[in-house]
Amino acid sequence: MDTYETLHVTTDRSIATLTLARSDRLNAMNATMLEELAAAADELDGRSEVRCVVVRGEGRAFCAGADLSLFTSLSDNADARRQADLGRVMADAVEGIRAVTIAAIHGWCIGGGLVLAAACDLRVAATDTRFSIPEVDLGIPLAWGGIPRLVREIGPALTKELVLTCREFDAEEARAAGFLNRVVAREDVEETALRLARQIADKPRAAVEPTTRHVDAVTAQMVGLAHSWADADGLLAALHDDEAAAARATYLANRGA
């Protein structure tokens, strides 16, 4: 199963581990990784023996968000909208896995990486985790279905604040907001996620799956993802806006990118 360029996927009995494997780029998600994440999610969803999936990042970070090559490659061509929509397709595929998904987060969890974590059922983070949503500073809206997922997990007011200010926040604030289930020492984060996975995997599927689906159905009535398909259009529009382009250039220059 582990035939991906940007991921490692392993299985130990009923628990699969999906590892983002671009550690030299802090696991920033390029087009290949987004497509492979969606494909791996679909494959795992089709494996009846898999009861839980732990999603983790290799190296110093969980995920530094979207690789900037995603934005520079989007131009006026027939494939632009499909490329702009890859993140939404990825997040929907991860959220669609019927097995319980658990994000094991450490280091940086930025932008699209936070959307990936929000698409998981449960989230465990290390005390060293730093979150941020820098999209507005980059002159683009938070896409990939990120807005409804954050509203669902932390509420509308805090979603607006964090997305509009682009400020960093730590694991304790994320837990207080209801985004995280557990915060543990860095050396314990993956074992904590696996222990949680083992607890759930040992329970009958006929009770576990209806529970997660019931919760998802209730939250879908409050905050649905149906309109997220239009995120790609907002992203493409922002990438062609002069004011947004100037903001993006300033942001990148200030970070030496």
Side-chain angles (χ1 to χ4, degrees):
M1 184 175 181
D2 194 10
T3 59
Y4 300 104
E5 178 183 333
T6 65
L7 308 173
H8 298 312
V9 182
T10 59
T11 304
D12 182 6
R13 294 186 292 274
S14 59
I15 298 172
T17 299
L18 194 164
T19 302
L20 311 186
R22 296 187 77 219
S23 56
D24 59 325
R25 299 285 296 172
L26 298 181
N27 299 316
M29 293 182 281
N30 60 9
T32 299
M33 180 179 278
L34 291 173
E35 290 174 334
E36 289 188 341
L37 277 167
D42 289 344
E43 185 170 359
L44 287 167
D45 188 52
R47 298 182 61 185
S48 60
E49 74 276 15
V50 173
R51 301 293 188 93
C52 286
V53 179
V54 174
V55 181
R56 61 180 295 275
E58 187 176 77
R60 295 184 294 119
F62 176 71
C63 180
D67 193 299
L68 294 178
S69 64
L70 271 175
F71 305 134
T72 57
S73 67
L74 292 176
S75 58
D76 293 317
N77 61 62
D79 199 44
R81 195 187 186 285
R82 187 192 72 83
Q83 293 280 319
D85 203 33
L86 287 176
R88 179 195 64 82
V89 172
M90 175 279 297
D92 285 354
V94 170
E95 190 157 311
I97 298 174
R98 283 169 291 181
V100 175
T101 49
I102 305 171
I105 310 167
H106 74 285
W108 285 106
C109 181
I110 300 176
L114 198 144
V115 176
L116 170 59
C120 294
D121 294 303
L122 306 173
R123 289 165 288 277
V124 175
T127 52
D128 72 345
T129 304
R130 299 292 294 179
F131 299 90
S132 75
I133 308 166
E135 273 76 356
V136 169
D137 277 347
L138 281 162
I140 57 176
L142 177 63
W144 300 6
I147 294 293
R149 286 186 171 92
L150 284 176
V151 171
R152 178 183 68 193
E153 303 300 334
I154 65 175
L158 189 55
T159 294
K160 288 178 182 177
E161 178 196 336
L162 294 177
V163 174
L164 292 174
T165 65
C166 306
R167 69 173 176 83
E168 294 178 13
F169 55 104
D170 63 16
E172 286 299 337
E173 182 175 358
R175 177 167 62 175
F179 188 69
L180 298 175
N181 297 89
R182 311 271 173 82
V183 176
V184 298
R186 170 65 187 94
E187 61 269 21
D188 296 330
V189 66
E190 288 167 15
E191 178 53 37
T192 300
L194 286 170
R195 186 164 59 248
L196 188 58
R198 286 191 289 269
Q199 289 176 327
I200 296 168
D202 287 341
K203 300 185 186 302
R205 182 191 295 273
V208 171
E209 188 172 325
T211 299
T212 58
R213 293 303 173 189
H214 193 174
V215 174
D216 291 344
V218 171
T219 55
Q221 292 174 6
M222 297 185 293
V223 182
L225 294 166
H227 297 293
S228 296
W229 65 270
D231 282 4
D233 300 308
L235 177 59
L236 287 173
L239 289 172
H240 291 87
D241 179 83
D242 291 340
E243 183 183 14
R248 187 158 51 255
T250 299
Y251 178 91
L252 296 175
N254 288 340
R255 285 154 181 79

